[in-house]
């Protein structure tokens, strides 16, 4: 408990570092390539092209607004998966610093998730363009978007804290998590409608946090029918549980990490 | 003010460090208990340093010198004992650890100063002084990867010493860059000393320890071997290293 308050206060005190770490990520990622920041927009468009070419014939008719459906699923998935995947290395890659200077270590996974959300916000631009062309209309529900981004951020940070802490003790965690993400992606109804799943799997789907997040995201964009109490409640619950678990795991190991880095 | 009371830091050595999850699980199932052994990097260290003191920390490799610096700077929490550090500690350890090659000198100043816990306003206030001291104004918007190692060290030194620390922690690096900058950095450390900043200085160079420190701590296998004025402690240490110790090593 004491740890919690102390560490939160320290992160606040080091907020300038957080800002600089995020800025660095964004700068380095897009400074060197010829098309620069355009890549953040091109990337989801190219992904969409691939998925659309393969799956539009299969699912195009049963899902309304198929391009918007796929693209929203894709960029929401990327937000979570890229953020937590990179964050799994947060302590290991910064071991030089952590070993030499006192810092609130939890700031490293936090900065990775924060950069990931910056990329997410930029990739909303191509999404809006696609929606414009495919005739999906933005509604008033768009005001929910910050809320959706917020709970995914909280959820991702919890997962990032867990994975990055465990990865220090067992390097295998990094690889296990990679495989886990691959399977998780196919189970998250990104490019197919949930209705094609057998009934039993559909029930299991409600235990997939990403399913709720993606549904809420779609609800805020173009499909008000997805805005259900179930999704909202589950989404918030998963986010809180994840943060709680991650924070406890991190705090209990905080002072031990240094001996394994 | 720095006060350490009975501080011990133990590294838990697992007989064969099981980094792999699989090995861990297999051993757990087999019911094999991991044999643990504690290596004490620091054992029962007590010291007190007041304003204006400069403490030299000497001893052979692996004596716990760097671990002691980490305890004072808060990187390591000791397993036992109490640590009381009043004031802001600035480490001059491995100066460039917080730099990023892809960023410019300017961006790195902001990054590195924020690693030391500074707010943006504080950094902006100090920015010109940092650049002036480093004498790198012409290169400040060049990416660090195009700097020479001396230039990088100069920039790092300038950031770390422009932060008005109450405690300055120096691990081996006392002076960096070319002869001219070395002179400048030595002078700056002297200024700190005159201002009453506490200095912790780890070195194998006894001449430097003599000229900078008014107290010396001799560590050996994590324990305090001797503590006192520089002349007496260094004399004893050198006697052991050159006389007795060398003979023992030859046999």
């Amino acid at each position: 408990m004491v740890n919690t308050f102390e560490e939160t206060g320290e992160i606040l005190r080091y907020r300038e570092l957080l800002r600089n770490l995020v800025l660095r990520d964004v700068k380095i990622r897009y400074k060197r390539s010829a098309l620069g920041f355009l890549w953040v927009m091109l990337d989801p468009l190219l992904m969409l092209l691939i998925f659309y070419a393969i799956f539009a014939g299969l699912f195009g008719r049963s899902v309304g607004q198929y391009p918007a459906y796929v693209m929203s699923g894709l960029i929401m998935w990327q937000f979570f998966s890229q953020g937590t995947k990179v964050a799994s290395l947060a302590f290991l890659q910064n071991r030089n610093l952590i070993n030499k200077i006192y810092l609130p270590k939890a700031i490293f996974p936090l900065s990775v998730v924060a950069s990931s959300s910056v990329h997410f916000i930029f990739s909303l631009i191509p999404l809006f363009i696609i929606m414009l062309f495919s005739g999906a209309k933005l509604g008033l529900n768009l005001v929910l978007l910050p809320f959706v981004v917020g709970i995914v951020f909280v959820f991702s940070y919890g997962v990032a804290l867990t994975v990055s802490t465990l990865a220090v003790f067992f390097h295998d965690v990094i690889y296990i998590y990679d495989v886990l993400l691959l399977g998780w992606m196919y189970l998250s109804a990104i490019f197919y409608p949930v209705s094609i799943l057998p009934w039993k799997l559909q029930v299991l789907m409600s235990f997939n946090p990403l399913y709720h997040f993606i549904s809420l995201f779609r609800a805020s964009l173009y499909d008000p029918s997805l805005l259900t109490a179930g999704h909202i409640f589950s989404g918030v619950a998963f986010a809180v549980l994840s943060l709680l678990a991650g924070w406890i795991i991190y705090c209990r190991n905080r002072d031990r990490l240094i001996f394994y880095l | 003010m720095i006060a350490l009371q009975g501080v011990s830091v133990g590294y838990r050595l697992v007989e064969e460090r099981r980094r792999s999850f699989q090995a861990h699980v297999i051993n757990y199932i087999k019911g094999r208990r991991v044999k643990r052994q504690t290596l004490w990097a620091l054992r029962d260290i007590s010291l007190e340093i007041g304003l204006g003191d400069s403490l030299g920390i000497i001893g052979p490799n692996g004596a716990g010198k760097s671990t002691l610096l980490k305890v004072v700077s808060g990187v390591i929490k000791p397993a036992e004992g109490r640590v009381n550090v009043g004031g802001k500690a600035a480490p001059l350890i491995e100066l460039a650890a917080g730099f990023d090659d892809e960023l410019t000198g300017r961006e790195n100043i902001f990054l590195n100063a924020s690693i030391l816990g500074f707010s943006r306003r504080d950094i902006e206030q100090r920015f010109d002084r940092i650049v002036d001291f480093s004498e790198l104004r012409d290169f400040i918007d060049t990416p660090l990867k195009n700097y020479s190692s001396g230039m990088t060290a100069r920039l790092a030194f300038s950031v770390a010493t422009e932060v008005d620390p109450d405690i300055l922690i120096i691990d081996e690096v006392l002076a960096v860059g070319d002869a001219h900058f070395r002179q400048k950095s030595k002078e700056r450390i002297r200024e700190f000393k005159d201002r009453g900043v506490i200095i912790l200085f780890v070195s194998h160079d006894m001449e430097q320890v003599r000229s900078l420190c008014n107290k010396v701590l001799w560590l050996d296998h994590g324990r305090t071997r001797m503590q006192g004025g520089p002349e007496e402690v260094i004399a004893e240490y050198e006697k052991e290293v050159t006389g007795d110790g060398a003979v023992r090593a030859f046999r």
Side-chain angles (χ1 to χ4, degrees):
Chain A
M1 220 33 195
V2 178
N3 267 358
T4 298
F5 290 125
E6 194 189 296
E7 189 80 2
T8 317
E10 286 296 89
I11 291 177
L12 278 176
R13 197 159 74 81
Y14 278 81
R15 59 185 180 280
E16 175 63 15
L17 173 59
L18 182 64
R19 200 183 73 96
N20 282 322
L21 288 173
V22 175
L23 271 177
R24 176 183 70 172
D25 275 1
V26 174
K27 277 180 191 157
I28 290 177
R29 200 149 152 194
Y30 300 105
K31 223 178 193 176
R32 299 189 74 180
S33 55
L35 289 177
F37 220 84
L38 271 181
W39 273 116
V40 82
M41 285 170 249
L42 273 177
D43 187 63
L45 279 175
L46 294 173
M47 293 268 283
L48 170 68
L49 208 68
I50 295 167
F51 276 86
Y52 193 81
I54 302 174
F55 297 113
L58 270 174
F59 308 119
R61 268 193 221 123
S62 44
V63 183
Q65 304 296 353
Y66 192 63
Y69 185 88
V70 175
M71 185 112 170
S72 53
L74 271 176
I75 67 171
M76 181 50 88
W77 171 257
Q78 292 276 27
F79 173 20
F80 164 72
S81 68
Q82 279 302 315
T84 53
K85 194 169 158 174
V86 177
S88 67
L89 297 166
F91 297 136
L92 290 169
Q93 278 181 340
N94 289 294
R95 56 154 73 89
N96 266 337
L97 269 182
I98 296 173
N99 254 311
K100 307 244 149 71
I101 300 168
Y102 164 77
L103 290 164
K105 295 182 269 292
I107 215 163
F108 290 111
L110 181 61
S111 80
V112 176
V113 175
S115 325
S116 189
S117 36
V118 173
H119 301 309
F120 170 77
I121 288 165
F122 277 102
S123 59
L124 287 175
I125 300 170
L127 172 67
F128 288 155
I129 294 173
I130 287 295
M131 287 175 62
L132 196 74
F133 280 104
S134 67
K137 286 206 179 60
L138 286 168
L140 268 181
N141 278 338
L142 198 63
V143 298
L144 283 172
L145 190 58
F147 161 74
V148 180
V149 176
I151 56 173
V152 181
F153 186 99
V154 169
F155 179 79
S156 300
Y157 185 43
V159 175
L161 275 174
T162 307
V163 183
S164 56
T165 303
L166 294 179
V168 173
F169 301 106
F170 307 106
H171 288 201
D172 314 50
V173 168
I174 299 161
Y175 308 111
I176 296 171
Y177 188 63
D178 263 9
V179 177
L180 190 80
L181 277 179
L182 189 66
W184 199 343
M185 184 187 102
Y186 285 103
L187 291 173
S188 296
I190 292 171
F191 53 86
Y192 58 84
V194 200
S195 55
I196 65 154
L197 294 173
W199 188 78
K200 273 184 188 159
L201 270 181
Q202 284 192 33
V203 175
L204 275 180
M205 208 55 158
S206 54
F207 293 100
N208 179 355
L210 261 294
Y211 166 63
H212 299 293
F213 298 147
I214 292 174
S215 300
L216 284 173
F217 185 40
R218 285 169 180 152
S220 73
L221 290 171
Y222 67 91
D223 189 351
S225 71
L226 287 170
L227 191 64
T228 64
H231 283 320
I232 294 175
F233 175 78
S234 308
V236 172
F238 276 119
V240 171
L241 282 178
S242 160
L243 184 65
L244 216 60
W247 193 254
I248 290 170
I249 290 172
Y250 166 73
C251 282
R252 293 192 65 168
N253 293 291
R254 189 182 65 164
D255 298 334
R256 264 168 16 103
L257 286 176
I258 189 83
F259 297 111
Y260 293 82
L261 277 171
Chain B
M1 200 268 303
I2 302 174
L4 268 60
Q5 249 180 347
V7 166
S8 296
V9 173
Y11 288 84
R12 262 172 148 193
L13 287 186
V14 174
E15 209 149 84
E16 136 213 19
R17 234 197 207 180
R18 290 205 188 85
R19 272 295 172 85
S20 119
F21 185 65
Q22 190 191 5
H24 213 84
V25 170
I26 290 172
N27 277 285
Y28 188 80
I29 293 167
K30 285 186 179 164
R32 251 186 239 160
R33 295 299 296 151
V34 182
K35 280 185 201 155
R36 285 183 201 280
Q37 196 191 345
T38 309
L39 174 86
W40 293 101
L42 287 180
R43 197 80 181 110
D44 200 19
I45 302 289
S46 297
L47 55 88
E48 216 164 290
I49 315 166
L51 267 170
D53 277 342
S54 314
L55 178 76
I57 305 165
I58 59 174
N61 286 327
K65 305 187 294 290
S66 298
T67 307
L68 182 59
L69 294 189
K70 286 180 186 177
V71 168
V72 172
S73 59
V75 171
I76 293 180
K77 286 223 173 115
E80 292 164 21
R82 265 193 299 185
V83 181
N84 203 339
V85 176
K88 185 171 179 52
L92 271 187
I93 324 168
E94 299 247 342
L95 296 155
F99 277 170
D100 195 303
D101 265 2
E102 296 286 329
L103 300 178
T104 65
R106 179 189 303 275
E107 290 163 339
N108 268 306
I109 289 177
F110 276 84
L111 179 62
N112 215 17
S114 62
I115 285 169
L116 295 169
F118 275 83
S119 70
R120 192 165 6 153
R121 196 194 296 162
D122 286 337
I123 304 170
E124 275 162 0
Q125 267 174 13
R126 292 172 165 83
F127 184 80
D128 281 319
R129 271 184 283 154
I130 293 174
V131 179
D132 286 342
F133 191 82
S134 70
E135 300 175 14
L136 289 166
R137 174 130 351 238
D138 294 342
F139 305 97
I140 206 65
D141 290 310
T142 310
L144 218 65
K145 60 186 170 192
N146 299 330
Y147 278 34
S148 71
S149 55
M151 287 159 78
T152 309
R154 265 154 61 188
L155 191 65
F157 184 92
S158 310
V159 177
T161 55
E162 196 53 69
V163 299
D164 286 328
D166 302 306
I167 301 159
L168 192 65
I169 296 174
I170 313 173
D171 195 350
E172 290 290 355
V173 265
L174 182 57
V176 293
D178 52 20
H180 160 71
F181 197 80
R182 261 167 207 275
Q183 198 48 44
K184 254 176 87 172
S185 44
K186 274 187 186 161
E187 270 163 30
R188 172 158 276 193
I189 287 172
R190 282 234 168 263
E191 277 169 34
F192 275 123
K193 206 183 147 182
D194 295 342
R195 251 192 282 156
V197 172
I198 295 178
I199 296 177
L200 295 186
F201 180 40
V202 164
S203 183
H204 290 288
D205 184 341
M206 293 306 133
E207 262 334 292
Q208 288 192 338
V209 175
R210 257 193 210 108
S211 74
L212 187 66
C213 305
N214 65 336
K215 282 182 177 177
V216 173
L217 170 70
W218 173 8
L219 287 179
D220 194 8
H221 290 98
R223 288 174 190 274
T224 304
R225 182 74 176 268
M226 203 178 162
Q227 201 173 348
E231 286 313 322
E232 43 168 339
V233 179
I234 289 175
E236 279 299 309
Y237 177 67
E238 282 182 331
K239 210 192 286 170
E240 164 142 331
V241 174
T242 53
D244 213 14
V247 175
R248 225 184 291 151
F250 270 117
R251 276 183 212 154

